[in-house]
Amino acid sequence: MCFLRRPGAPASWIWWRMLRQVLRRGLQSFCHRLGLCVSRHPVFFLTVPAVLTITFGLSALNRFQPEGDLERLVAPSHSLAKIERSLASSLFPLDQSKSQLYSDLHTPGRYGRVILLSPPGDNILLQAEGILQTHRAVLEMKDGRNSFIGHQLGGVVEVPNSKDQRVKSARAIQITYYLQTYGSATQDLIGEKWENEFCKLMRKLQEEHQDLQLYSLASFSLWRDFHKTSILARSKVLVSLVLILTTATLSSSMKDCLRSKPFLGLLGVLTVCISIITAAGIFFITDGKYNSTLLGIPFFAMALGHGTKGVFELLSGWRRTKENLPFKDRIADAYSDVMVTYTMTSSLYFITFGMGASPFTNIEAVKVFCQNMCVSILLNYFYIFSFFGSCLVFAGQLEQNRYHSIFCCKIPSAEYLDRKPVWFQTVMSDGHQQTSHHETNPYQHHFIQHFLREHYNEWITNIYVKPFVVILYLIYASFSFMGCLQISDGANIINLLASDSPSVSYAMVQQKYFSNYSPVIGFYVYEPLEYWNSSVQEDLRRLCSGFTAVSWVEQYYQFLKVSNISANNKSDFISVLQSSFLKKPEFQHFRNDIIFSKAGDESNIIASRLYLVARTSRDKQKEVIEVLEKLRPLSLSKSIRFIVFNPSFVFMDHYSLSVTVPVLIAGFGVLLVLILTFFLVIHPLGNFWLILSVTSIELGVLGLMTLWNVEMDCISILCLIYTLNFAIDHCAPLLYTFVLATEHTRTQCIKSSLEEHGTAILQNVTSFLIGLVPLLFVPSNLTFTLFKCLLLTGGCTLLHCFVILPVFLTFFPPSKKHHKKKKRAKRKEREEIECIEIQENPDHVTTV
């Protein structure tokens, strides 16, 4: 091994270059030996993965268990809202409340809700009989529980010029039935049974009352409709798998019956599938629980995309080996050529998803998904080089012995074929007639490789095409940047449900007719406060300004004013409150909102609560988040120590995490790409181009999915994490081959790179995109979001690999001039040697 030092190059540069080459050649040598080992023991490497799949696959069926806690999955694990809920629950336990007020519940609990909607133009207030019949039917239900009934009017039209805001008509009424279960397991089971009966009753009443539209919702409805996605998608996933199998089989075929590998394309996809089954089995053995977000459609789509890339790369590596070598040496050469890059990309998958599975990720759905993807990536890598490698060994042995790639029969000689019909020659032809005298590689007849070499490479590197590509990229970057500035919150749980489910229908009607006010927000003062002090009273009024308040404090002040009672000190204030105000029938329900403590004969107020309702517009959820973000800082800066809470706040803490988690993971992932590939690439500019390409694809997917009305929720976060790895998986081999190429010009280098890796990239991305098509027909918001994100991932990656990079690499560094100078020096040295030989042998004559 010889290392030539450039003139003026520092010694440290030479040592770094030597180190990179030694490490790279060491990895290539290891992969070469791995390929030899697989080729010499194919039965062993075929049997071990099969046994693992059978073992863990059967355990997966026995230990299957669905995840029943939706809040645990999609709500932040360590959020301030959960701490506030615990504090509110400790101050005001549910089992001590005899009468529930509004959303007095600290958790959603067990409940049933129904919206009664009148036909367009009608007044719901004129249909009181139908409303009362529905209400009585609910109260008379079997196994009914004590419940608080809250009601609201929606679509209200007020009487014109009315001073006291009289209601003229309303379009809808919402009735809520909160069940008092107190956390008991037995009562919770009864409550669940009540909710099931409640939903059945609403469907029955809808048939009886054709003049009213009933939309019902229970506490278990979200969980049921969340898991409904996996049921609806089963048949579509099978269709997707069939389409991927078909695409892989056809794209691996050739007219040459000897060198065609249709069964290897088929077996490659099946190899990835059985590795996914094994990973699922390990997940269930470790007490994992199934849900639509984790091990359903996304897990299948993402794991399959990386696995098939390794399959197609190994097939391309096999085609690049010398045909005159023994099949075992060809397997070793293919491993040496392909597995170095595939090992690096698999490592990056593992590290990136491992970061997503770390304790820093605060969303349980993302964390568990990343944990399972790490296991899947490891098993996928093992199955590719063992199980699929063994299949490649047997296929190579058949090819060396001249057996038909489909029928596995001996291919007859050319003289025998000449005496047979045309159809027989077509089926049994080994490509001998198509191979001309100047073509040394018969695999160049593969239709994708032929298209890239003869047509596409010349077109994309044409000087007249390059300006249009630059304009296209500027348009792409502009739209991506515009979308990145419009990222919206996806904390709405409805985005994860089946689109035709009752929960979605209920949410749409509620958003339309009941979006004028926020949910009732609990305002908890958790420290003793001088309520009789005028400055404290003013602070409370200032904090509650802008809200509609249901407050014992305001009612008490009004009571004192009307009764003409003075309570300017502590003893008078508390004495009148306990002995007079709270004993009035109309104010008795405020007893649950005040906590007294007694020390001797003196009573103190140690905590209390109020209820606030904010006026909102149609974008109700965003405005509630803004209210929450404004009130929380005030609890730290004001003299009054308080917390605000509503059960929906547990999910609304989602926003900042939804935005920061994928960005942080992407940033750390790109940094790891730089560190890991620095020792594997001869030229450091390879790292630079890879980082630029991955960043461009990641930002492009983020911006374009925002413009496509995709919000930041758990599914889009998972897709963004996957986009980073998918881009590395496809751009890295192309860029590394370009950097290491020794052709005279950049154009020739990029052509060589596309010839080597373009076929595998096009095969994999095409199979990936075709496999996504059936997901479009699943009636679920979850799968529709997944389809949009993964379609953009595949499309942006394909655009960069085949359009943007082939053009930009032709006029940006790295330069190829030093390779040209080396070749000129070698040619000059060879000419001098020939001249010396002619001078020494003047009588020697050579004829051409």
Side-chain angles (χ1 to χ4, degrees):
M1 186 185 301
C2 180
F3 299 94
L4 298 176
R5 179 175 177 178
R6 292 186 193 175
S12 59
W13 183 89
I14 298 296
W15 284 108
W16 277 117
R17 181 180 174 86
M18 291 172 60
L19 178 62
R20 294 186 197 120
Q21 288 192 358
V22 168
L23 288 175
R24 181 176 180 81
R25 293 184 182 182
L27 286 173
Q28 286 180 334
S29 176
F30 171 77
C31 293
H32 188 275
R33 293 175 182 175
L34 178 64
L36 282 177
C37 183
V38 173
S39 64
R40 291 169 182 170
H41 310 283
V43 177
F44 173 78
F45 285 100
L46 192 70
T47 306
V48 172
V51 171
L52 289 176
T53 300
I54 294 172
T55 304
F56 290 108
L58 291 177
S59 65
L61 294 176
N62 296 331
R63 293 175 175 265
F64 178 85
Q65 186 178 4
E67 175 61 68
D69 190 354
L70 190 59
E71 179 187 310
R72 175 179 173 270
L73 287 176
V74 298
S77 303
H78 308 287
S79 67
L80 187 57
K82 290 185 177 180
I83 299 174
E84 292 167 345
R85 180 173 63 186
S86 300
L87 180 57
S89 180
S90 64
L91 291 173
F92 300 94
L94 290 178
D95 55 359
Q96 294 181 6
S97 300
K98 295 181 180 178
S99 60
Q100 302 283 343
L101 263 181
Y102 300 102
S103 56
D104 185 6
L105 302 174
H106 308 136
T107 61
R110 294 288 180 182
Y111 61 85
R113 288 176 181 164
V114 59
I115 294 178
L116 295 94
L117 183 65
S118 63
D122 288 0
N123 187 358
I124 192 70
L125 300 178
L126 300 178
Q127 302 188 24
E129 185 60 31
I131 297 173
L132 292 175
Q133 286 181 6
T134 303
H135 177 58
R136 284 194 294 265
V138 173
L139 296 182
E140 294 172 359
M141 282 174 55
K142 185 179 179 181
D143 291 328
R145 308 293 299 162
N146 293 330
S147 60
F148 166 77
I149 295 88
H151 57 276
Q152 294 173 293
L153 291 177
V156 175
V157 177
E158 297 178 355
V159 176
N161 302 320
S162 172
K163 294 183 179 180
D164 51 356
Q165 295 182 336
R166 293 184 179 181
V167 176
K168 179 181 179 182
S169 65
R171 194 56 213 287
I173 184 171
Q174 177 178 253
I175 307 176
T176 305
Y177 302 90
Y178 291 114
L179 305 184
Q180 295 180 346
T181 57
Y182 303 146
S184 169
T186 305
Q187 292 187 3
D188 189 66
L189 290 174
I190 297 174
E192 182 181 356
K193 186 177 180 181
W194 185 92
E195 289 180 347
N196 282 298
E197 294 296 328
F198 173 80
C199 293
K200 292 178 183 178
L201 177 63
M202 292 301 108
R203 289 193 292 268
K204 180 181 177 182
L205 293 175
Q206 177 65 78
E207 298 174 357
E208 296 176 358
H209 298 280
Q210 298 297 329
D211 54 339
L212 288 174
Q213 295 180 14
L214 276 68
Y215 299 91
S216 61
L217 182 76
S219 66
F220 76 92
S221 298
L222 295 177
W223 175 85
R224 177 196 61 196
D225 296 335
F226 177 72
H227 286 282
K228 187 179 179 181
T229 296
S230 59
I231 299 173
L232 294 172
R234 286 175 183 173
S235 59
K236 306 302 186 298
V237 170
L238 293 177
V239 173
S240 176
L241 181 58
V242 171
L243 287 176
I244 294 173
L245 288 170
T246 305
T247 306
T249 303
L250 294 177
S251 64
S252 303
S253 303
M254 297 173 60
K255 290 182 179 180
D256 188 336
C257 70
L258 177 64
R259 299 170 183 87
S260 178
K261 297 290 183 290
F263 285 139
L264 277 183
L266 182 70
L267 288 171
V269 178
L270 293 178
T271 300
V272 180
C273 291
I274 62 175
S275 71
I276 294 174
I277 293 173
T278 308
I282 294 175
F283 172 68
F284 288 126
I285 285 177
T286 55
D287 296 328
K289 294 183 179 180
Y290 174 86
N291 64 81
S292 300
T293 313
L294 306 183
L295 286 178
I297 319 302
F299 189 75
F300 170 78
M302 296 181 184
L304 199 64
H306 174 63
T308 51
K309 180 60 167 56
V311 169
F312 293 128
E313 281 289 356
L314 266 181
L315 280 176
S316 293
W318 170 266
R319 296 190 191 101
R320 291 193 294 269
T321 57
K322 296 180 181 179
E323 196 175 18
N324 57 354
L325 292 175
F327 71 94
K328 293 183 180 180
D329 292 335
R330 294 183 67 184
I331 293 290
D333 289 344
Y335 272 57
S336 176
D337 184 21
V338 172
M339 292 305 291
V340 173
T341 305
Y342 191 67
T343 301
M344 189 204 69
T345 53
S346 297
S347 302
L348 290 173
Y349 266 91
F350 182 79
I351 292 172
T352 307
F353 281 110
M355 291 162 53
S358 67
F360 297 104
T361 300
N362 204 19
I363 302 171
E364 191 66 20
V366 177
K367 185 186 296 184
V368 178
F369 180 88
C370 291
Q371 290 172 354
N372 289 279
M373 279 299 294
C374 289
V375 177
S376 178
I377 293 302
L378 289 176
L379 289 173
N380 177 81
Y381 180 80
F382 171 71
Y383 274 63
I384 289 294
F385 81 74
S386 59
F387 189 88
F388 181 72
S390 300
C391 296
L392 187 60
V393 170
F394 292 125
Q397 192 172 6
L398 290 175
E399 181 180 329
Q400 180 174 301
N401 296 329
R402 297 187 57 79
Y403 278 88
H404 199 285
S405 61
I406 299 177
F407 305 117
C408 298
C409 61
K410 199 78 172 179
I411 298 176
S413 62
E415 294 78 9
Y416 180 81
L417 285 176
D418 292 338
R419 299 194 299 268
K420 293 298 180 179
V422 177
W423 67 267
F424 188 83
Q425 294 180 16
T426 304
V427 173
M428 302 299 292
S429 173
D430 63 349
H432 175 75
Q433 296 177 355
Q434 289 89 349
T435 306
S436 59
H437 66 278
H438 63 275
E439 287 183 338
T440 58
N441 186 5
Y443 291 101
Q444 292 181 351
H445 290 297
H446 189 279
F447 66 98
I448 298 179
Q449 194 168 355
H450 176 78
F451 168 75
L452 292 175
R453 183 182 67 256
E454 300 295 335
H455 304 286
Y456 186 78
N457 288 350
E458 296 296 331
W459 176 80
I460 196 62
T461 54
N462 191 303
I463 192 172
Y464 299 105
V465 175
K466 294 179 181 180
F468 295 99
V469 173
V470 174
I471 294 172
L472 175 64
Y473 183 74
L474 291 176
I475 295 172
Y476 164 85
S478 301
F479 278 96
S480 302
F481 181 73
M482 183 170 59
C484 290
L485 297 177
Q486 302 176 24
I487 297 174
S488 58
D489 176 22
N492 193 349
I493 194 66
I494 301 301
N495 294 336
L496 302 177
L497 306 182
S499 55
D500 60 348
S501 61
S503 300
V504 174
S505 302
Y506 180 91
M508 297 297 290
V509 175
Q510 188 185 51
Q511 176 68 22
K512 185 175 182 180
Y513 295 104
F514 298 92
S515 60
N516 293 332
Y517 292 95
S518 70
V520 179
I521 302 170
F523 184 95
Y524 299 86
V525 180
Y526 57 87
E527 288 185 354
L529 197 64
E530 296 180 353
Y531 295 94
W532 52 90
N533 194 318
S534 59
S535 61
V536 173
Q537 296 173 13
E538 185 61 30
D539 288 342
L540 283 174
R541 290 192 186 96
R542 193 178 299 111
L543 287 172
C544 297
S545 62
F547 296 92
T548 300
V550 180
S551 167
W552 70 268
V553 180
E554 287 296 327
Q555 293 290 334
Y556 185 46
Y557 294 156
Q558 288 289 343
F559 172 79
L560 293 176
K561 185 177 180 181
V562 172
S563 303
N564 197 20
I565 300 175
S566 176
N568 296 325
N569 54 63
K570 176 181 177 181
S571 59
D572 293 342
F573 187 91
I574 296 178
S575 175
V576 175
L577 178 65
Q578 290 181 316
S579 61
S580 181
F581 177 76
L582 294 178
K583 290 188 177 180
K584 295 282 184 181
E586 63 270 29
F587 302 130
Q588 283 183 355
H589 59 273
F590 286 130
R591 289 181 178 178
N592 297 320
D593 298 334
I594 308 171
I595 300 178
F596 293 99
S597 68
K598 197 166 185 180
D601 295 333
E602 187 179 54
S603 297
N604 295 299
I605 301 176
I606 61 173
S608 68
R609 62 182 173 185
L610 321 174
Y611 295 98
L612 307 178
V613 179
R615 183 86 178 183
T616 58
S617 63
R618 293 296 298 271
D619 196 356
K620 179 178 177 179
Q621 184 170 348
K622 184 177 180 181
E623 294 188 18
V624 172
I625 294 175
E626 291 176 355
V627 169
L628 177 62
E629 292 178 349
K630 288 179 180 178
L631 285 175
R632 277 180 174 169
L634 293 177
S635 66
L636 300 176
S637 60
K638 297 292 182 180
S639 58
I640 300 175
R641 294 287 180 254
F642 67 91
I643 59 172
V644 288
F645 180 73
N646 180 275
S648 61
F649 289 176
V650 174
F651 297 96
M652 291 181 181
D653 272 350
H654 201 135
Y655 177 70
S656 59
L657 294 168
S658 299
V659 176
T660 56
V661 167
V663 175
L664 288 174
I665 289 178
F668 280 117
V670 170
L671 182 61
L672 287 170
V673 170
L674 176 62
I675 295 173
L676 288 176
T677 59
F678 185 79
F679 298 101
L680 301 177
V681 183
I682 300 299
H683 206 300
L685 282 175
N687 302 330
F688 178 74
W689 272 109
L690 183 60
I691 293 171
L692 283 183
S693 303
V694 172
T695 305
S696 177
I697 294 172
E698 182 83 4
L699 294 179
V701 172
L702 178 61
L704 294 176
M705 80 179 194
T706 303
L707 295 179
W708 204 354
N709 298 324
V710 176
E711 297 178 338
M712 296 295 292
D713 55 22
C714 347
I715 295 299
S716 56
I717 287 174
L718 296 176
C719 290
L720 284 173
I721 298 172
Y722 181 70
T723 299
L724 173 71
N725 295 284
F726 192 83
I728 294 172
D729 216 353
H730 292 77
C731 294
L734 192 70
L735 289 168
Y736 293 164
T737 303
F738 173 81
V739 169
L740 297 174
T742 57
E743 278 75 7
H744 287 222
T745 63
R746 297 191 188 100
T747 301
Q748 292 176 349
C749 290
I750 195 61
K751 287 180 179 180
S752 175
S753 301
L754 285 174
E755 286 182 22
E756 284 194 23
H757 300 287
T759 303
I761 294 173
L762 194 58
Q763 281 177 303
N764 189 54
V765 176
T766 304
S767 302
F768 180 75
L769 295 179
I770 290 176
L772 293 178
V773 174
L775 301 184
L776 185 61
F777 301 97
V778 180
S780 171
N781 296 328
L782 186 151
T783 53
F784 196 47
T785 300
L786 181 72
F787 172 80
K788 288 180 178 180
C789 294
L790 294 186
L791 179 65
L792 290 173
T793 298
C796 292
T797 303
L798 200 65
L799 178 69
H800 280 73
C801 289
F802 284 94
V803 179
I804 295 172
L805 285 177
V807 171
F808 279 55
L809 287 173
T810 57
F811 45 78
F812 281 119
S815 174
K816 299 296 180 181
K817 290 183 179 179
H818 61 281
H819 293 303
K820 192 172 182 179
K821 291 179 180 178
K822 285 183 180 179
K823 289 194 174 183
R824 283 180 179 175
K826 289 182 179 179
R827 186 163 58 249
K828 185 177 181 181
E829 183 181 356
R830 188 167 58 247
E831 289 174 355
E832 291 176 353
I833 293 173
E834 290 175 356
C835 291
I836 293 172
E837 289 178 350
I838 291 173
Q839 290 177 0
E840 292 178 352
N841 301 286
D843 298 331
H844 181 75
V845 178
T846 303
T847 59
V848 180

